[in-house]
Amino acid sequence: MSGQKETDTTFIGNVIRIIDAKTLIINIGNRHLSVGDDVKIYESLGPLRDLDGSELCQFEHTKDILEVVETSEKYSICKKSESHLSRSVQLALSPLLLTQQKEYALLNVNDDEIEPFAPNDSTIHVGDFVKKA
């Protein structure tokens, strides 16, 4: 695989071309991916360290999760999958079948100890890292 290399062992390739606002190509072929697989486009934000200072892993910011829609020997074409139900279908379905959005409550933490990781750029670029989602 060509392009930028990532140190994470689950890294499998890079974005190599953006075809349009819905489609991109990654340099990972059908030996590693199949149609229907999900891939994660991400940015490495730096090391995540344990309390003793040892490095646990590279912390990642997920830019997006895409579905593989076509594969060849050397590359795959990916798109973002979205499912939309029409309003009439939503009304006809049982409320038990609809997904619910979770909301998370605030934690009781010391504000002085908050150290967020800040992504450099949430936009997908040629060269961004790819792994299986």
Side-chain angles (χ1 to χ4, degrees):
M1 289 172 250
S2 61
Q4 218 173 356
K5 300 294 182 195
E6 164 67 322
T7 57
D8 183 353
T9 57
T10 58
F11 160 83
I12 57 174
N14 301 91
V15 173
I16 59 169
R17 186 170 210 147
I18 299 171
I19 300 297
D20 58 38
K22 295 182 178 185
T23 314
L24 55 81
I25 299 176
I26 58 177
N27 61 354
I28 308 146
N30 56 20
R31 285 188 45 197
H32 300 282
L33 294 173
S34 301
V35 171
D37 283 349
D38 287 333
V39 293
K40 173 173 145 175
I41 312 299
Y42 69 100
E43 171 186 8
S44 183
L45 298 180
L48 184 60
R49 299 194 181 278
D50 204 344
L51 295 175
D52 65 4
S54 63
E55 186 175 325
L56 298 172
C57 64
Q58 290 291 313
F59 192 78
E60 300 168 359
H61 164 66
T62 300
K63 292 184 174 191
D64 221 330
I65 295 180
L66 307 177
E67 180 182 347
V68 175
V69 296
E70 185 179 327
T71 62
S72 74
E73 184 180 345
K74 304 255 183 193
Y75 67 89
S76 296
I77 299 174
C78 305
K79 294 184 178 216
K80 184 169 182 169
S81 176
E82 286 187 315
S83 57
H84 297 284
L85 295 175
S86 69
R87 185 73 180 139
S88 60
V89 172
Q90 287 178 0
L91 293 173
L93 289 175
S94 164
L96 298 174
L97 297 176
L98 297 176
T99 58
Q100 295 180 2
Q101 283 192 320
K102 283 186 181 180
E103 290 192 28
Y104 296 98
L106 293 175
L107 297 171
N108 183 16
V109 298
N110 181 338
D111 289 344
D112 294 334
E113 295 178 10
I114 294 175
E115 296 180 56
F117 279 100
N120 293 320
D121 186 357
S122 292
T123 304
I124 296 173
H125 297 281
V126 170
D128 279 348
F129 302 131
V130 178
K131 66 170 54 176
K132 277 192 168 184

